[in-house]
């Protein structure tokens, strides 16, 4: 079976939920303490065996390219102050993988962003990780879990998580027959269904392993919800041709593309960091007391 070597990370969206910050800063570059969100996502891919990262970018996303590049001027400054360790840390960011960039000229949706990467992916299976979702699982990275299912069945795999019924209209929803613990053979896929039409509460999260057949399916997919080319619709079309699996991803998922999700992620990461944890807890406790007093 061909190896999953490449990951597509679409980061071309406008991030309107974070305006005005996203007028000039990509939302993927917003920090969780001192590391941008996108760094965690690339780490997950690299720790899962991915060698090449294909960023689908757009205008105002130059900061991402700069982040994964060397910065000789800064290195010079750090060298003068003897911060060799810091230089090494910065270089490691660029050396994590091979980084490739392609522009999505118009933001026509996630499906369109994936299709934009067709020529760079070529005729091999590939991973997709959304640039604004962080999945925490140190021992078994989220995308690695899906890659392993791909190696088991040789077909596309969609990452899912159970969500409360009232939230189904925010997600792509899949339904199917369980074949092994947590792995389903997908029978239905619907993008953001109303609660009463949702076939299940199994929500698509921002992780996929796809066979290259998805590209032909996407080319035939009509525009869907919001007038966008939806990846979920492309997958529904692909399913007519070949089987697709879904896998419940184990780990803590942070949707950093919305304000509350982003705040929760910061809280979670800060509480894990030795260097800030203690002081941060003190501040939190004081704030809680203040809030209780009213
Ligand atoms: P979202 O819909 O969450 O991102 O797309 P958005 O459009 O940037 O954000 P809002 O809704 O306006 O706040 C999920 C992912 O798909 C990428 C986004 O960058 C994000 O990582 N995307 C979306 C593209 O690359 N191209 C698109 O045309 C649409």
């Amino acid at each position: 079976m061909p190896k999953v070597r490449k990951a597509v990370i679409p980061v071309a969206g406008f991030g309107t939920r974070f305006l005005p910050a996203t007028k000039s800063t990509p939302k993927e570059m917003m920090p969780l303490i001192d590391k941008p969100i996108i760094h965690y996502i690339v780490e997950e891919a690299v720790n899962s065996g991915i060698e090449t990262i294909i960023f689908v970018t757009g205008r105002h996303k130059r900061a991402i390219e700069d982040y994964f590049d060397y910065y000789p001027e800064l290195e010079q400054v750090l060298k003068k102050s003897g911060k060799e360790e810091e230089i090494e840390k910065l270089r490691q960011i660029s050396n994590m993988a091979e980084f490739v960039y392609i522009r999505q000229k118009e933001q026509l949706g996630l499906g369109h962003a994936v299709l934009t990467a067709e020529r760079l992916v070529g005729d091999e299976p590939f991973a997709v990780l959304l640039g604004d979702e962080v999945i925490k699982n140190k021992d078994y990275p989220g995308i690695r879990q899906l890659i392993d299912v791909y190696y088991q069945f040789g077909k596309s795999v969609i990452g899912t998580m159970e969500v409360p019924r009232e939230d189904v209209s925010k997600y792509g929803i899949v339904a199917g027959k369980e074949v092994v613990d947590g792995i389903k053979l997908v029978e239905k896929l619907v993008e953001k269904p109303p609660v009463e039409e949702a076939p299940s509460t199994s929500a698509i999260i921002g992780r996929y392993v796809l066979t290259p057949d998805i590209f032909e399916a996407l080319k035939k997919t009509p525009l869907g919800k919001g007038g966008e080319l939806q990846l979920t619709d492309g997958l529904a079309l692909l399913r007519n041709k070949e089987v697709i699996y879904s896998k419940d991803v184990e780990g803590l998922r942070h949707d950093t593309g919305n304000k509350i999700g982003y705040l929760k992620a910061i809280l979670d990461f800060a509480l894990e960091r030795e260097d800030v944890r203690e002081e941060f807890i003190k501040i939190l406790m004081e704030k809680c007391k203040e809030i209780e007093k009213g």
Side-chain angles (χ1 to χ4, degrees):
M1 203 169 303
K3 255 185 89 181
V4 182
R5 302 180 302 141
K6 298 177 182 175
V8 173
I9 307 188
V11 290
F14 286 118
T16 53
R17 283 167 292 173
F18 268 103
L19 280 169
T22 42
K23 194 176 168 200
S24 61
T25 309
K27 66 173 172 184
E28 298 82 5
M29 284 302 294
M30 297 199 306
L32 295 176
I33 320 302
D34 51 10
K35 248 160 75 172
I37 292 161
I38 196 69
H39 188 137
Y40 294 99
I41 296 167
V42 168
E43 259 175 358
E44 177 189 333
V46 170
N47 291 339
S48 301
I50 296 294
E51 296 159 11
T52 302
I53 305 279
I54 302 166
F55 282 114
V56 180
T57 72
R59 254 172 223 94
H60 307 309
K61 300 285 176 163
R62 278 278 303 280
I64 297 177
E65 293 175 41
D66 289 343
Y67 185 77
F68 291 101
D69 197 3
Y70 283 171
Y71 192 171
E73 296 88 341
L74 176 61
E75 286 179 17
Q76 281 304 320
V77 174
L78 292 171
K79 202 169 180 180
K80 272 188 203 144
S81 37
K83 294 189 169 157
E84 302 288 339
E85 224 175 88
E86 205 59 46
I87 297 175
E88 202 33 54
K89 258 202 236 159
L90 290 180
R91 287 208 150 218
Q92 266 168 18
I93 298 172
S94 324
N95 295 340
M96 275 197 285
E98 173 190 38
F99 296 100
V100 185
Y101 301 87
I102 186 158
R103 285 266 189 134
Q104 185 188 18
K105 295 191 191 84
E106 286 178 285
Q107 277 61 59
L108 298 177
L110 179 58
H112 182 260
V114 170
L115 188 53
T116 303
E118 179 182 15
R119 206 178 48 79
L120 293 172
V121 169
D123 192 24
E124 55 182 280
F126 63 103
V128 176
L129 297 92
L130 294 202
D132 57 1
E133 280 189 42
V134 177
I135 294 176
K136 271 176 69 190
N137 188 330
K138 260 195 224 113
D139 303 323
Y140 196 10
I143 197 68
R144 182 71 222 184
Q145 298 174 33
L146 302 191
I147 292 173
D148 286 343
V149 178
Y150 170 79
Y151 287 145
Q152 202 176 342
F153 299 102
K155 299 292 178 199
S156 294
V157 190
I158 303 172
T160 52
M161 273 188 191
E162 284 298 315
V163 294
R165 185 152 273 279
E166 62 268 25
D167 287 347
V168 288
S169 59
K170 296 183 198 155
Y171 295 90
I173 299 292
V174 302
K177 230 191 266 125
E178 191 150 36
V179 283
V180 195
D181 229 11
I183 302 174
K184 288 191 195 118
L185 194 56
V186 174
E187 284 166 355
K188 266 193 196 143
L189 287 130
V190 214
E191 183 61 24
K192 301 192 174 77
V195 179
E196 57 284 3
E197 284 169 31
S200 79
T201 48
S202 190
I204 302 179
I205 56 162
R207 298 293 184 270
Y208 309 79
V209 173
L210 303 174
T211 63
D213 295 329
I214 188 65
F215 297 123
E216 284 318 306
L218 282 170
K219 283 176 205 163
K220 292 187 198 128
T221 305
L223 298 184
K225 284 255 156 73
E228 296 191 340
L229 179 46
Q230 299 286 353
L231 182 56
T232 308
D233 296 342
L235 285 163
L237 216 60
L238 176 65
R239 207 198 67 86
N240 295 334
K241 210 181 137 220
E242 60 185 47
V243 297
I244 296 180
Y245 292 88
S246 72
K247 150 103 180 106
D248 282 335
V249 175
E250 287 154 36
L252 180 60
R253 169 180 173 268
H254 288 298
D255 179 1
T256 59
N258 71 76
K259 292 181 192 99
I260 290 293
Y262 179 60
L263 288 171
K264 268 167 79 179
I266 293 185
L267 201 69
D268 183 37
F269 279 81
L271 290 174
E272 273 193 355
R273 283 273 298 254
E274 296 267 314
D275 55 341
V276 297
R277 184 185 152 83
E278 217 172 298
E279 215 177 322
F280 185 57
I281 290 178
K282 253 192 231 158
I283 295 168
L284 277 181
M285 307 275 265
E286 275 163 26
K287 265 283 161 227
C288 287
K289 271 188 216 147
E290 261 176 55
I291 294 167
E292 264 174 21
K293 273 191 211 150

